[in-house]
Amino acid sequence: MRIALALDGDEIATVCDFARILRVVELAEGRELAREERPLDAAEPAILARRIRESGAGLLLCGDLSRALVAGLAGSGLRIVSGLRGPAAAA
């Protein structure tokens, strides 16, 4: 399973739309197999949604999301867990 975390530094970004980094972690049987970080420049919600979908993640962990970003991710099959705060390691 691939999990994406919307980050600002090593913290979960308060608002996914303004995340600076998308960390994608590949897990199998509870163990980390791989990790990559993709820079996220401030982009329109449609572009950000495309970048998140292209990560291949099945789960997005983040703070809040704008309605436009939610709409851009709709129908992608991506599960979203929002409302998170704090260090990425705790997520």
Side-chain angles (χ1 to χ4, degrees), residues 11-83:
E11 301 276 323
I12 298 291
T14 305
V15 179
C16 187
D17 301 60
F18 302 109
R20 296 175 186 257
I21 299 167
L22 185 68
R23 180 178 294 160
V24 182
V25 180
E26 177 118 17
L27 299 173
E29 298 179 16
R31 296 172 53 189
E32 184 176 320
L33 301 178
R35 173 187 295 218
E36 66 179 285
E37 293 193 355
R38 301 172 179 211
L40 294 175
D41 302 326
E44 296 177 21
I47 294 170
L48 182 57
R50 185 188 51 164
R51 290 179 182 166
I52 293 170
R53 288 191 312 266
E54 288 173 348
S55 75
L59 174 65
L60 173 64
L61 304 179
C62 59
D64 294 327
L65 296 96
S66 69
R67 289 181 184 171
L69 183 53
V70 170
L73 294 171
S76 67
L78 179 69
R79 185 170 158 234
I80 300 170
V81 176
S82 62

